[in-house]
């Protein structure tokens, strides 16, 4: 598929369905810039990660050091690698090495490790690309992300908004205002894997419960 902007359809909003097949996930990454892998976490891993995230989030709020966004509706937890063995263990899952070495074409390193808690009342994030600081003439992924869904991700609770196919567009999102997006939804325990060039942003949570996700960002 051509990377010229006029040759890439980013208006059909077709996202790949969830899959357990890693080969299919890699094909989805090439076509859409994202893939959703179901059952990426075991039940035990999901419970342990979610429990630890909830504990850490509450602790940082109580200590007055929480990183709050969107009028206190959303919370970020930074540097998770230092905040629990369960977070370090997640990085050793075979899925991480398999898909990241595939996307980034070789060796890679963890660059950022955070939690994103989207609460009621927060506004949707502006569309952006994690690789937005790289000149658009560099037409390969230099970074990539895995968002681990610790709750069911739905359109109502702020599932990330994505523009499928935008990783092939030689332009930054702000140059195409009004570009439509679609919610990347999935069951708790799923992994949303996406190319660093994909246009995306946190969705708006209109439910009464926070939506918990982990972001492992590699370069």
């Amino acid at each position: 598929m051509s990377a010229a902007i006029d040759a890439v359809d980013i208006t059909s909003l077709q996202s790949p369905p969830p899959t357990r097949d890693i080969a299919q996930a890699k094909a989805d990454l090439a076509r859409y810039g994202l893939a959703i892998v179901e059952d990426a976490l075991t039940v035990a891993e999901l419970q342990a990660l979610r429990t630890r995230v909830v504990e850490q989030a509450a602790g940082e709020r109580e200590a007055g050091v929480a990183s709050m966004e969107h009028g206190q509706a959303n919370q970020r937890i930074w540097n998770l690698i230092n905040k629990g063995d369960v977070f370090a263990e997640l990085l050793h899952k075979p899925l991480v090495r398999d898909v990241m070495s595939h996307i980034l074409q070789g060796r890679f390193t963890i660059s950022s490790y955070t939690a994103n808690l989207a609460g009621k009342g927060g506004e949707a994030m502006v569309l952006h690309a994690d690789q937005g600081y790289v000149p658009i003439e560099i037409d390969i992924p230099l970074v990539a992300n895995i968002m681990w869904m610790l709750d069911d991700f739905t359109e109502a609770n702020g599932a990330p908004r994505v523009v499928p196919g935008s990783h092939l567009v030689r332009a930054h999102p702000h140059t195409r205002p009004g570009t439509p997006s679609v919610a990347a939804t999935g069951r708790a325990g799923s992994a949303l894997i996406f190319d660093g060039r994909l246009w995306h942003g946190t969705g708006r949570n209109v439910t009464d419960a926070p939506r918990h996700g982990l972001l492992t960002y590699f370069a």
Side-chain angles (χ1 to χ4, degrees), residues 6 29 58 66-67 73 78 133 154 194:
D6 293 334
L29 282 160
S67 179
W78 303 97
Y133 57 89
T154 68
F194 54 102

Side-chain angles (χ1 to χ4, degrees), residues 53-73:
V53 165
V54 170
E55 291 173 346
Q56 185 67 28
E60 293 189 9
R61 291 194 301 270
E62 292 167 8
V65 297
S67 179
M68 307 301 296
E69 304 172 346
H70 299 290
Q72 307 296 303

Side-chain angles (χ1 to χ4, degrees), residues 1-8 139 167-171:
M1 182 181 294
S2 170
I5 186 149
D6 293 334
V8 179
D139 194 29
H167 66 304
L168 299 175
V169 175
R170 295 282 193 94

Side-chain angles (χ1 to χ4, degrees), residues 59-158:
E60 293 189 9
R61 291 194 301 270
E62 292 167 8
V65 297
S67 179
M68 307 301 296
E69 304 172 346
H70 299 290
Q72 307 296 303
N74 293 3
Q75 182 177 358
R76 294 272 183 178
I77 309 174
W78 303 97
N79 300 320
L80 288 180
I81 195 67
N82 297 322
K83 296 178 178 176
D85 290 344
V86 66
F87 299 126
E89 292 164 1
L90 179 61
L91 299 178
H92 292 283
K93 288 186 70 67
L95 175 66
V96 172
R97 181 174 297 277
D98 194 355
V99 297
M100 284 300 136
S101 61
H102 171 75
I103 298 170
L104 300 176
Q105 295 299 301
R107 298 178 66 182
F108 56 91
T109 185
I110 183 74
S111 178
S112 175
Y113 197 167
T114 63
N116 183 352
L117 284 62
K120 185 176 182 179
E123 293 300 318
M125 182 185 291
V126 64
L127 290 175
H128 65 283
D130 288 343
Q131 195 164 307
Y133 57 89
V134 176
I136 58 174
E137 291 79 13
I138 300 176
D139 194 29
I140 58 172
L142 299 181
V143 299
N145 220 322
I146 304 177
M147 188 166 202
W148 307 87
M149 302 181 186
L150 303 187
D151 298 305
D152 291 343
F153 274 34
T154 68
E155 183 153 9
N157 73 4

